[in-house]
Amino acid sequence: MNDKIRNIAIIAHVDHGKTTLVDRILQLVSTQRDSQKMEERAMDSNAIEKERGITILAKNTAVFYNDYKINIVDTPGHADFGGEVERVLNMVDGVLLLVDAFEGPMPQTKYVLRKAMMRKLKPIIVVNKIDREGARPKEVLEEVYDLFIDLGASEEDLDFPVIYASSKQGYVKNDPNGEVLPMSVLVDLIIKEIKEPEASLDEPLQIQISTLDYDSYVGLVSTGRVHKGSVKVNQTVEFVYGNLKESFKITKLIGYNGLKKIDIQEAFAGDIVSLSGTNNIKVGATIGLPESVDTLPLIKVDEPTISMNFMVNDSPLAGKEGKYLTSRHLRDRLYKEALSNVALKVEETESTEAYKISGRGELHLAILIETMRREGYELQLSRPEVIFKEIDGIKSEPYEEVHIEVPDEYSGVVIEKLNQRYGILKNLENLPSGAVRVIYRIPSRGLLGYRGQFLTDTKGEGVLYSIFDGYDKIAGTIKARRNGAIVSQEAGKAVAFALFNIQERGSLFIKPNDPIYEGMVIGIYSKQSDLVVNPMKKKQLTNMRASGSDEAVRLVPPIEMTLEKAMEFIDDDELIEITPLSIRVRKKLLTFEERKRHNKQQEQ
């Protein structure tokens, strides 16, 4: 039975075509009618995934092909969601490693390959996007070999099968210049090269849970691999997670067929299955027969590197847009997230109205915040901070390896800025396209607030990717922000006449009639100090007239404050106010007198 099952994960750097490849495999095994209805990037079902065009959550599907069942796990390609990759690799026996035929191996390619090699998973290399202009498949394959060697691959590891593909066009080739072949050739290669799961039907039940999801009808849905035995609906089982144990009855077993979830009555060793029956299970728990659970090692993921404080919203505009406002709402939601998002860490603080949340990067935390916003939560956020560690008696901070590609004319300003942030240049090469690729090792602190500046410096033409590269001794002081803030001293609604005069001092975040309050940051000041202004000042209504004074008020369009921009912009004395409809920046201390008194105390 096991020899007809294949479990495989698709891993790659962000935007190298994983989800599109899954689409093509699904279309191959679907009926003509089903494939006509199938939308692009069908596995990216989450609304935020569709908007951003990236995979955030690892998801599994199954296809039936020539009597074989192939369980496929689609994984995220962004470094911030590496925790998703680490835990699902426990469910599979091999990986499809996708590499862009133009870009070649990127930082996340190295990361996911290292994780796959640690688990001794068989790789199949797919050089994807061979139809892309400037594609260089042969050179990219050489770079893949170099990457394997850098990671300490053995001769056996280097004996991997290679196939060339265009996921977008839906074809593969055995040679870049060879004939076009159908996608079925890739599926046949998976069946041939990936071994069947090592599992025994005769031994007692053993399942390890790798992902959790929530269903409003059945509650928590746990997905994992059946390592031994078989499992049935209505069977009484027990899960063990450290010291936590609980017996429960399986109320539902779910299998997969393409994009459909199907109810099944029984699942066997070697398969991947979802089940429900308890709301207390955790990722990494082992399920077995009551009182005789043979536990597997808990799933280990890399530690978080960045933290933020999530606080109850106490601004003057609090409670006007959201549904969930209290610390109890906030606490319950964060701990619920930590159950399924294993790379996220939730800690209590001295205040009952604030929680310290640690994650892999700014995007990892930003996706959680955006999800909570859409669910109706209001909250406030502190500035992101890196997590320091003491290693061998030396206070250390996280470093990242940064890969940057920019047009040649912008390389000078990028190198200058990264040097100012204590970056160390590791490599610089001129690409055939006329761009420059630079690789830096830089403290994570140096990247906080830099990405927006990078896009400005490169006129939006630069590409920046980073990946965690270990801890090292602390670099020097890095200035958080070079510009001050324009701060409101009044509460009410902004007036066009006042904003017209204020905009000469910097760039604004607000427009006429936007609600404001004392201590709210309404713009970026052109100097380093803060500027306190009155955005409600109206034009005096006198009968005196002067030349030019009655001209129409012309306002520069305001900067739209997105969540990522706000996280990069704020300083240590500021907070981000998040509601379902608004993102605002404010001072921690709202009144000018409080801030003045606090600054005086700090100086003393």
Side-chain angles (χ1 to χ4, degrees), residues 159-271:
D159 185 24
F160 49 74
V162 180
I163 197 162
Y164 302 87
S166 168
S167 299
K168 191 175 180 182
Q169 302 298 331
Y171 66 78
V172 297
K173 294 181 177 183
N174 287 323
D175 183 271
N177 302 316
E179 62 174 321
V180 170
L181 302 170
M183 196 57 70
S184 58
V185 172
L186 174 60
V187 182
D188 290 332
L189 187 65
I190 292 170
I191 292 169
K192 178 186 171 189
E193 294 290 343
I194 304 301
K195 63 182 180 181
E196 65 267 17
E198 290 179 7
S200 170
L201 272 171
D202 303 327
E203 295 183 57
L205 174 66
Q206 185 187 55
I207 303 174
Q208 185 164 40
I209 300 303
S210 294
T211 62
L212 295 177
D213 195 11
Y214 192 81
D215 185 289
S216 54
Y217 291 102
V218 298
L220 204 63
V221 177
S222 325
T223 302
R225 175 170 168 169
V226 185
H227 289 273
K228 297 176 185 175
S230 63
V231 60
K232 297 179 182 178
V233 175
N234 295 326
Q235 183 178 358
T236 299
V237 295
E238 181 178 84
F239 80 77
V240 177
Y241 181 85
N243 296 324
L244 182 65
K245 286 185 181 181
E246 183 186 306
S247 292
F248 66 97
K249 188 161 83 170
I250 294 174
T251 56
K252 198 177 183 76
L253 271 180
I254 302 166
Y256 296 86
N257 186 357
L259 296 174
K260 297 174 188 170
K261 294 180 180 179
I262 50 175
D263 288 350
I264 56 176
Q265 294 302 308
E266 191 170 10
F268 301 93
D271 210 349

Side-chain angles (χ1 to χ4, degrees), residues 198-372:
E198 290 179 7
S200 170
L201 272 171
D202 303 327
E203 295 183 57
L205 174 66
Q206 185 187 55
I207 303 174
Q208 185 164 40
I209 300 303
S210 294
T211 62
L212 295 177
D213 195 11
Y214 192 81
D215 185 289
S216 54
Y217 291 102
V218 298
L220 204 63
V221 177
S222 325
T223 302
R225 175 170 168 169
V226 185
H227 289 273
K228 297 176 185 175
S230 63
V231 60
K232 297 179 182 178
V233 175
N234 295 326
Q235 183 178 358
T236 299
V237 295
E238 181 178 84
F239 80 77
V240 177
Y241 181 85
N243 296 324
L244 182 65
K245 286 185 181 181
E246 183 186 306
S247 292
F248 66 97
K249 188 161 83 170
I250 294 174
T251 56
K252 198 177 183 76
L253 271 180
I254 302 166
Y256 296 86
N257 186 357
L259 296 174
K260 297 174 188 170
K261 294 180 180 179
I262 50 175
D263 288 350
I264 56 176
Q265 294 302 308
E266 191 170 10
F268 301 93
D271 210 349
I272 293 173
V273 68
S274 298
L275 57 90
S276 61
T278 176
N279 285 333
N280 300 321
I281 200 164
K282 298 180 184 296
V283 169
T286 305
I287 294 176
L289 300 178
E291 306 302 323
S292 62
V293 181
D294 181 13
T295 56
L296 289 162
L298 294 178
I299 296 171
K300 289 184 179 179
V301 298
D302 292 345
E303 290 288 312
T305 56
I306 291 207
S307 68
M308 294 176 79
N309 284 345
F310 284 43
M311 295 165 273
V312 173
N313 187 11
D314 63 358
S315 89
L317 296 177
K320 295 190 176 180
E321 297 172 2
K323 288 190 294 183
Y324 306 112
L325 315 169
T326 65
S327 60
R328 182 178 62 83
H329 285 137
L330 186 60
R331 183 182 190 280
D332 291 349
R333 179 64 181 83
L334 292 172
Y335 276 104
K336 179 184 169 187
E337 181 69 25
L339 279 176
S340 57
N341 195 340
V342 289
L344 196 79
K345 191 175 176 184
V346 181
E347 297 173 84
E348 311 269 347
T349 65
E350 294 175 359
S351 167
T352 57
E353 300 202 336
Y355 300 90
K356 182 181 177 183
I357 311 300
S358 306
R360 289 285 183 85
E362 289 173 277
L363 184 62
H364 186 200
L365 297 177
I367 293 295
L368 168 61
I369 298 159
E370 182 62 34
T371 305
M372 291 176 66

Side-chain angles (χ1 to χ4, degrees), residues 497 500 539-554:
F497 176 75
F500 177 71
K539 183 177 181 181
Q540 290 184 328
L541 299 176
T542 69
N543 60 0
M544 297 293 288
R545 295 290 181 267
S547 175
S549 65
D550 291 331
E551 287 181 4
V553 171
R554 289 189 178 88

Side-chain angles (χ1 to χ4, degrees), residues 315-317 320-321 487-496 498-499 510-520 522 533-538 577 584 590:
S315 89
L317 296 177
K320 295 190 176 180
E321 297 172 2
V487 186
S488 171
Q489 67 178 19
E490 298 291 338
K493 290 195 172 179
V495 174
L499 297 183
I510 62 169
K511 57 186 184 297
N513 279 329
D514 278 358
I516 53 172
Y517 52 82
E518 184 178 6
M520 180 173 153
I522 63 165
V533 297
N534 178 7
M536 295 176 59
K537 187 175 180 181
K538 295 180 180 178
E577 180 188 354
R584 306 182 186 99
L590 292 176

